[in-house]
Amino acid sequence: METLDELRARAEGAPSILELMDDARVRAFSAEVDGLFFDWSKTKVDEGSRALLLRLLDERGVAARRDAMFAGEKINETEGRAVLHTALRAGPDAVVEVDGVDVMPGVRETLERMRAFAADARKRFDDVVNIGIGGSDLGPAMGVLALAPYHDGPRCNFVSNVDGADIADALEGLDPERTLVIVASKTFTTTETMTNAATARDRLPGATFAALSSDLERTEAFGIPADRVFGFEDWVGGRYSMWGPIGLSLMIAIGPERFDEFLAGGRAMDGHFRDAPWARNLPALLALSGLWHNQVLGCATRAVLPYENRLARLPAYLQQLEMESNGKRVSMDGAELSEHSGPVVWGEPGTNGQHAFYQLIHQGTRVIPCEFMVAREGHEPGLEHHHRLLIANCLAQSEALMRGRTHAEAKVLLGEKFEGAELDRQAAHRVFPGDRPSTTLVYPKLTPFVLGQIVALYEHRVFVEGTVLGINSFDQWGVELGKELARSLEPILAGEESADGKDASTRALVERLA
Ligand SMILES: O=P(O)(O)OC[C@H]1O[C@](O)(CO)[C@@H](O)[C@@H]1O
């Protein structure tokens, strides 16, 4: 891609972030929508590079593909499907057609059924156990923790791992009469989920079961009556599904009205993504900062660092959203990508990470672009001083990464303690190279509406990055081979089949573990 080459050339010998920094830059390299403020001034993108990055969006036809997505066109070409998670949060008057048929009456009807079911479940049950994995787990699990201050419904437990410890621990001490087990699986075939669901049925007789799935035949075969099944269409991808039936546990936890606020937050971000010019468009700006760091500068990872303890599951949620979407090796036409695919995404809430892995971010030899997130206000009355410390730490980290500390400054700090060569040696360990990039997302307070804004912001960011790279962000063929091989190994481990066809290492491991 020529524009990317031009960007790489500009990045060579670009001024430092501190040299670029001034008030005008902060104004130019930040944008705000509905209280959400994104600052990407602490990157090395200058005006010229920003113009090229924006050009990339036009060259790659991002606007046309975005409009095609919202219009229900089948942009998930390898599976022949539309991509319409946005329909799950569209307003009451929306009309969204797939193959000439408006899908919104069905969406609204399911949402109404969910609301009635959730309202009743909030009275009848003390515990909800959501059994699902990947997109059928991470969204609601992340959301229930994030919105703990609004959680006034039954306790919610999330079981995902096929490790029997997960389901055994979750079922411990539950009263079947007061427990709702939700089997969440789009396909209703996923080994982990179906194994855990069968165990729950055996071990908790008398519990009420509900299902969230696209496959109504399989839910019936499992024995779940139709009035406790909430279906969705194939145009909702697993990792984009927490807005609909897969969000049922979240709706039960916080109540239907607050779930509506969550949907409204997502809807507001959709409107912004569709209407705002790219230069002020938050999903586009997040994507451009991502492309700059990953494809232009060659940084293979990015850290997501929420200064919000209740966003502890957000990095895991974003790992699936970003890495399952944009971790591809070929472009839409099947040709090998000419650029790297999406980055490794990882992170932990601050300030905990500061006492664990930030050492490497500050002084390691590789540059790790950091995405900080922080709220202006917390939820804990009387603990405002905690929140001030939280904000101070968040801002201190991005400042330290940018500013760094020179050898001369380190020597001054050491004062009289050392001299000569020993002073130089000791100072070298205390040098911070600085000029390390970060972005900061500031939100007013982690309400259901704001969580909706943030999740939709990241969804669209992934879409923009994927589109620029020519990737289909909505399939996940890369998970299939491991599943097939696990299916072939299970009977070998059970002693029912021979390991002869396997390689020497796998045979030796089977022998040790069988
Ligand atoms: O909801 P299902 O069909 O059980 O799938 C769970 C997860 O498994 C995957 O298909 C990957 O194996 C994810 O994309 C999906 O979110």
Side-chain angles (χ1 to χ4, degrees), residues 28-51:
F29 284 81
S30 62
E32 180 163 12
V33 56
D34 298 331
L36 220 58
F37 176 77
F38 178 64
D39 174 13
W40 62 313
S41 63
K42 289 194 185 88
T43 66
K44 284 169 87 104
V45 180
D46 62 9
E47 298 279 352
S49 298
R50 188 179 53 167

Side-chain angles (χ1 to χ4, degrees), residues 169-333:
D169 288 352
L171 296 184
E172 185 73 43
L174 296 185
D175 172 1
E177 298 297 315
R178 305 278 305 164
T179 299
L180 171 67
V181 178
I182 299 177
V183 186
S185 175
K186 179 175 165 180
T187 55
F188 231 67
T189 59
T190 304
T191 305
E192 292 92 331
T193 302
M194 298 327 295
T195 307
N196 280 324
T199 300
R201 196 175 46 186
D202 290 349
R203 295 211 173 171
L204 210 61
T208 304
F209 276 68
L212 320 173
S213 182
S214 307
D215 194 326
L216 306 188
E217 277 174 26
R218 287 182 198 274
T219 55
E220 192 185 345
F222 188 86
I224 301 180
D227 62 334
R228 280 190 254 123
V229 176
F230 299 89
F232 51 103
E233 304 292 328
D234 68 0
W235 39 257
V236 183
R239 53 194 173 275
Y240 298 88
S241 63
M242 70 179 291
W243 311 95
I246 293 295
L248 183 64
S249 51
L250 177 60
M251 186 192 265
I252 294 173
I254 62 175
E257 292 79 20
R258 285 177 176 142
F259 192 82
D260 278 348
E261 292 166 22
F262 168 70
L263 296 184
R267 181 159 65 245
M269 186 54 68
D270 291 343
H272 168 73
F273 180 49
R274 292 171 87 150
D275 299 337
W278 289 141
R280 313 298 301 165
N281 192 305
L282 259 61
L285 298 181
L286 254 80
L288 294 183
S289 68
L291 291 160
W292 169 260
H293 290 130
N294 184 14
Q295 279 73 25
V296 177
L297 300 183
C299 304
T301 86
R302 69 167 158 249
V304 185
L305 306 167
Y307 276 65
E308 174 93 45
N309 207 44
R310 295 188 179 112
L311 285 180
R313 298 289 284 151
L314 185 71
Y317 176 80
L318 292 180
Q319 278 175 340
Q320 188 198 14
L321 182 64
E322 303 208 15
M323 292 163 76
E324 205 171 67
S325 296
N326 288 344
K328 310 287 164 65
R329 54 176 289 282
V330 295
S331 59
M332 214 78 74
D333 56 7

Side-chain angles (χ1 to χ4, degrees), residues 16-250:
S16 72
I17 304 172
L18 259 183
E19 281 165 337
L20 290 170
M21 188 58 72
D22 61 19
D23 292 339
R25 174 174 174 80
V26 177
R27 279 193 298 278
F29 284 81
S30 62
E32 180 163 12
V33 56
D34 298 331
L36 220 58
F37 176 77
F38 178 64
D39 174 13
W40 62 313
S41 63
K42 289 194 185 88
T43 66
K44 284 169 87 104
V45 180
D46 62 9
E47 298 279 352
S49 298
R50 188 179 53 167
L52 286 173
L53 286 166
L54 289 166
R55 192 172 90 189
L56 213 48
L57 300 180
D58 293 335
E59 283 173 1
R60 305 301 296 181
V62 177
R65 194 166 155 82
R66 171 198 62 194
D67 295 345
M69 174 175 76
F70 279 101
E73 285 176 35
K74 296 193 174 159
I75 63 164
N76 174 358
E77 289 173 18
T78 58
E79 297 179 308
R81 293 175 182 169
V83 173
L84 276 179
H85 45 280
T86 50
L88 298 176
R89 57 198 186 221
D93 307 323
V95 175
V96 183
E97 291 187 354
V98 177
D99 291 331
V101 179
D102 183 8
V103 300
M104 289 312 296
V107 169
R108 282 191 280 269
E109 191 203 315
T110 304
L111 196 56
E112 270 317 309
R113 285 184 54 230
M114 283 171 65
R115 285 195 185 109
F117 184 84
D120 182 52
R122 282 160 65 82
K123 294 188 210 117
R124 279 179 55 200
F125 302 110
D126 297 326
D127 285 281
V128 173
V129 180
N130 184 87
I131 299 179
I133 196 163
S136 299
D137 165 73
L138 288 163
M142 179 276 291
V144 166
L145 178 59
L147 298 179
Y150 304 89
H151 189 158
D152 54 4
R155 285 181 291 267
C156 289
N157 308 282
F158 292 89
V159 175
S160 52
N161 203 322
V162 77
D163 182 344
D166 205 4
I167 186 80
D169 288 352
L171 296 184
E172 185 73 43
L174 296 185
D175 172 1
E177 298 297 315
R178 305 278 305 164
T179 299
L180 171 67
V181 178
I182 299 177
V183 186
S185 175
K186 179 175 165 180
T187 55
F188 231 67
T189 59
T190 304
T191 305
E192 292 92 331
T193 302
M194 298 327 295
T195 307
N196 280 324
T199 300
R201 196 175 46 186
D202 290 349
R203 295 211 173 171
L204 210 61
T208 304
F209 276 68
L212 320 173
S213 182
S214 307
D215 194 326
L216 306 188
E217 277 174 26
R218 287 182 198 274
T219 55
E220 192 185 345
F222 188 86
I224 301 180
D227 62 334
R228 280 190 254 123
V229 176
F230 299 89
F232 51 103
E233 304 292 328
D234 68 0
W235 39 257
V236 183
R239 53 194 173 275
Y240 298 88
S241 63
M242 70 179 291
W243 311 95
I246 293 295
L248 183 64
S249 51
L250 177 60

